[in-house]
Amino acid sequence: MAKEGPLKVNDPELSVVIPCFNEEKRLGKSLDKIVGFLQKRNYSSEIIVVDDGSRDRTSAVAEEKLAGFPHRILQESVNRGKGQAVKRGMLEAKGKYLLFTDADVLQSVSAMQRDLNINPAQLLVEKPALDPLPEPDGLGQWR
């Protein structure tokens, strides 16, 4: 299930993908930092939160914190793992450049700033053509 925020950017320069699993307690503070950083940039951006089957309020916290900023929240009904969450976010991203960070923002916002100020084209990946995500078969197994 995908939920899109009220503000949309048709062709953002940067998409930030954040895979999450039960990150209710850390996500709010991290999103505040990321939004604060992106609002000071002179390029358009969007944030994509991929809720990978969380059983807590991860999606609700993301929706509260991202109101007023271009975003999408992609919710999985079951936990499929971080790799699949990152892949789904990257496939859904609309930005020319893609960046992903963990929900706890281990790569600090200041490091993001340093990296992005160098030249985004040197550090970020242009959106590749990826294979679509596998679909579950009738037995709940992923093909």
Side-chain angles (χ1 to χ4, degrees):
M1 180 167 98
K3 194 173 189 181
E4 193 156 353
L7 296 179
K8 296 176 186 166
V9 178
N10 290 333
D11 294 312
E13 188 74 13
L14 175 67
S15 293
V16 179
V17 174
I18 308 169
C20 298
F21 179 69
N22 293 336
E23 293 288 353
E24 163 186 19
K25 294 181 179 170
R26 290 190 277 200
L27 187 60
K29 188 174 179 180
S30 297
L31 289 174
D32 286 342
K33 289 179 184 178
I34 293 168
V35 167
F37 168 77
L38 292 173
Q39 286 176 329
K40 295 175 186 171
R41 307 281 66 87
N42 61 353
Y43 46 81
S44 60
S45 58
E46 69 173 346
I47 295 175
I48 300 172
V49 173
V50 184
D51 182 344
D52 191 25
S54 297
R55 293 188 176 102
D56 63 3
R57 294 186 67 250
T58 295
S59 288
V61 169
E63 191 61 47
E64 292 163 12
K65 291 294 184 174
L66 294 174
F69 192 86
H71 72 279
R72 282 178 287 152
I73 299 169
L74 309 176
Q75 293 176 291
E76 297 289 351
S77 58
V78 297
N79 180 270
R80 296 173 63 190
K82 181 178 178 178
Q84 287 294 325
V86 172
K87 184 174 180 178
R88 178 161 185 217
M90 294 293 184
L91 285 169
E92 297 274 344
K94 295 178 183 173
K96 180 177 179 183
Y97 299 101
L98 310 178
L99 175 103
F100 99 88
T101 185
D102 291 323
D104 57 6
V105 191
L106 284 176
Q107 175 184 346
S108 70
V109 173
S110 61
M112 256 196 259
Q113 180 175 0
R114 182 196 68 232
D115 293 346
L116 290 173
N117 283 337
I118 293 170
N119 180 351
Q122 294 174 330
L123 298 164
L124 305 176
V125 177
E126 281 204 53
K127 187 173 182 176
L130 297 174
D131 294 330
L133 293 174
E135 295 296 324
D137 63 20
L139 304 173
Q141 300 295 315
W142 296 98
R143 293 186 249 139

